[in-house]
Amino acid sequence: QIYNEGLELEAKVPADIVIAQKAKLRDIRDIYRSVDLLDEEVELYGTSKAKVSLAVRDRLRENENGFYVCVAGINPTPLGEGKSTTTVGLTQALGAHLGKKVMACLRQPSQGPTFGIKGGAAGGGYSQVIPMEEFNLHLTGDIHAISAAHNLLAAAMDARILHEASQTDENLFDRLCPEKNGKRTFAPIMIRRLEKLGISKRDPSELTAEERKEFSRLDIDPDTITWNRGVDIN
């Protein structure tokens, strides 16, 4: 059921945010149960959002496939009718007006355009995804986790480039494989690096000066790094 009980259509269409905040949200459990998803196949994020387990594909593997309609490559009109609005509008037309079983699948919007001049990507007017603010800004938090991982890797690369540029081979080796109680040992992750380098020695004291250099340095060329130090959650 796509019809929204708490929303009256107005001749002069209000702003997207006004429509989104006037709309009455259905409990997400009612929605997923209406399409025969099981409770154990859904991970709830409050009462309006949820993740669907990929295990559903295995359970429904023998079901007949439906039709797939891909909406892509549309430049928005001056009124902002682009891919998202068209996708939601088609879904409403097929479901609410033609009585077909239909689902819309949209990618999560990036926050870069949301905070820039473009705005969000939840559709618009009476053909939009709600809760619109959560969809545009947070959803289940996955995009934040990806952004944090991206920034963590960028910071690790920055630190590595700085340390390698300011320290000798021997100092780097001493920091990576310090002497404890008069003995050096390789951690399991270090042994994997040695294997990748084709070095079969397992006693740090047996490594030659050249092997220590190979082990200690990644020699990342800053000119080959094409991503930004930080990400705008894009």
Side-chain angles (χ1 to χ4, degrees), residues 156-186:
M157 290 173 63
D158 269 0
R160 189 68 185 224
I161 292 171
L162 173 65
H163 291 314
E164 290 189 14
S166 58
Q167 297 186 48
T168 64
D169 297 340
E170 199 59 35
N171 283 342
L172 284 172
F173 184 78
D174 286 341
R175 289 176 180 275
L176 288 169
C177 192
E179 190 173 291
K180 295 180 181 179
N181 299 321
K183 186 178 181 181
R184 299 180 193 267
T185 56
F186 286 128

Side-chain angles (χ1 to χ4, degrees), residues 25-35 37 39 42-52 130-131:
L25 289 170
R26 287 180 62 190
D27 193 300
I28 193 67
R29 290 170 293 190
D30 293 337
I31 295 175
Y32 75 69
R33 287 168 183 164
S34 71
V35 293
L37 291 178
D39 289 346
V42 176
E43 182 180 355
L44 295 174
Y45 284 76
T47 59
S48 60
K49 298 175 293 184
K51 285 184 184 178
V52 179
I130 55 173

Side-chain angles (χ1 to χ4, degrees), residues 52-171:
V52 179
S53 170
L54 293 179
V56 174
R57 296 184 304 176
D58 297 326
R59 180 171 67 84
L60 302 179
R61 187 179 300 276
E62 302 303 322
N63 286 24
E64 183 180 355
N65 289 331
F67 293 97
Y68 184 84
V69 179
C70 182
V71 178
I74 296 177
N75 292 322
T77 69
L79 296 176
E81 299 156 321
K83 294 185 290 295
S84 300
T85 305
T86 301
T87 299
V88 178
L90 277 173
T91 305
Q92 291 170 320
L94 290 168
H97 296 281
L98 298 180
K100 304 293 183 181
K101 289 184 177 180
V102 59
M103 286 189 181
C105 179
L106 281 74
R107 78 282 178 268
Q108 183 178 349
S110 65
Q111 288 191 13
T114 297
F115 286 105
I117 60 172
K118 177 181 175 294
Y126 292 110
S127 295
Q128 63 171 296
V129 177
I130 55 173
M132 182 260 277
E133 304 96 306
E134 294 183 41
F135 179 61
N136 277 324
L137 298 180
H138 181 75
L139 204 57
T140 60
D142 287 3
I143 196 70
H144 303 315
I146 293 170
S147 303
H150 177 115
N151 287 344
L152 179 62
L153 180 57
M157 290 173 63
D158 269 0
R160 189 68 185 224
I161 292 171
L162 173 65
H163 291 314
E164 290 189 14
S166 58
Q167 297 186 48
T168 64
D169 297 340
E170 199 59 35
N171 283 342

